[in-house]
Amino acid sequence: MKKLYFLFALIILVFACSPKTTAPAKQDMTKAVPKVSYDTEVSALLLKSCAPCHYPAQDGKKKPFDTYEAAKNNITDILARVELPQDDPKFMPFKLKKPALTAEEIALLKNWAKGGYSM
Ligand code: HEC
């Protein structure tokens, strides 16, 4: 009899001590889109990569991307251009006069849109 109790105790102990198994797929699904804000990230990225051409204050003559509204209203075109192959004549930044956006930078713009265009 005693042996049986011991066995039970052992089984309970093993279960109690085993690490909780997480359901990774489900947890990742519920993970919120990383919060991206225009003021802290998007404006800096566009300024770094799209100035001076798209910044009227810097004598840019191309479509302005210098405000929150402009960035938001043109996000589809902006993403389309930066995701083109780099040798496409429509690729932006124009003729690679500025370095191409990194995958992280493109993801940042997408997450900004997905997250509802936080200021
Ligand atoms: C060196 C100057 C230069 C830089 C830097 C530059 N562009 Fe442009 N952009 C142009 C020129 C020139 C055109 C017009 C030719 C064309 O449409 O391909 C243009 C046009 C565009 C258009 C089409 C605008 C319209 O009138 O509909 C988009 C969208 C665009 N650029 C996005 C970007 C983005 C996003 C960046 C930064 C990641 C960027 N560009 C950086 C020169 C530049």
Side-chain angles (χ1 to χ4, degrees):
M1 242 347 220
K2 264 207 176 131
K3 251 186 190 161
L4 208 64
Y5 277 126
F6 179 72
L7 204 67
F8 264 119
L10 199 69
I11 288 169
I12 289 167
L13 199 74
V14 166
F15 268 98
C17 294
S18 60
K20 293 214 166 38
T21 49
T22 48
K26 209 168 186 186
Q27 273 199 341
D28 287 346
M29 289 293 286
T30 56
K31 225 176 234 169
V33 174
K35 187 159 164 87
V36 177
S37 92
Y38 176 79
D39 284 341
T40 60
E41 292 155 290
V42 174
S43 61
L45 169 58
L46 294 179
L47 182 64
K48 180 186 79 154
S49 301
C50 316
C53 315
H54 293 275
Y55 284 74
Q58 296 184 33
D59 246 13
K61 303 279 189 280
K62 301 304 155 199
K63 194 170 199 180
F65 297 146
D66 58 340
T67 63
Y68 170 83
E69 287 298 328
K72 182 180 167 182
N73 294 338
N74 291 292
I75 193 71
T76 309
D77 289 344
I78 289 171
L79 278 169
R81 294 295 194 112
V82 300
E83 289 194 293
L84 285 170
Q86 293 187 12
D87 58 359
D88 190 301
K90 296 248 167 204
F91 175 80
M92 290 287 152
F94 189 67
K95 294 187 174 166
L96 277 169
K97 294 196 182 206
K98 291 280 183 89
L101 270 64
T102 64
E104 288 75 21
E105 288 170 335
I106 292 172
L108 185 116
L109 292 176
K110 288 183 175 172
N111 285 333
W112 180 56
K114 269 192 218 157
Y117 306 97
S118 304
M119 294 275 232

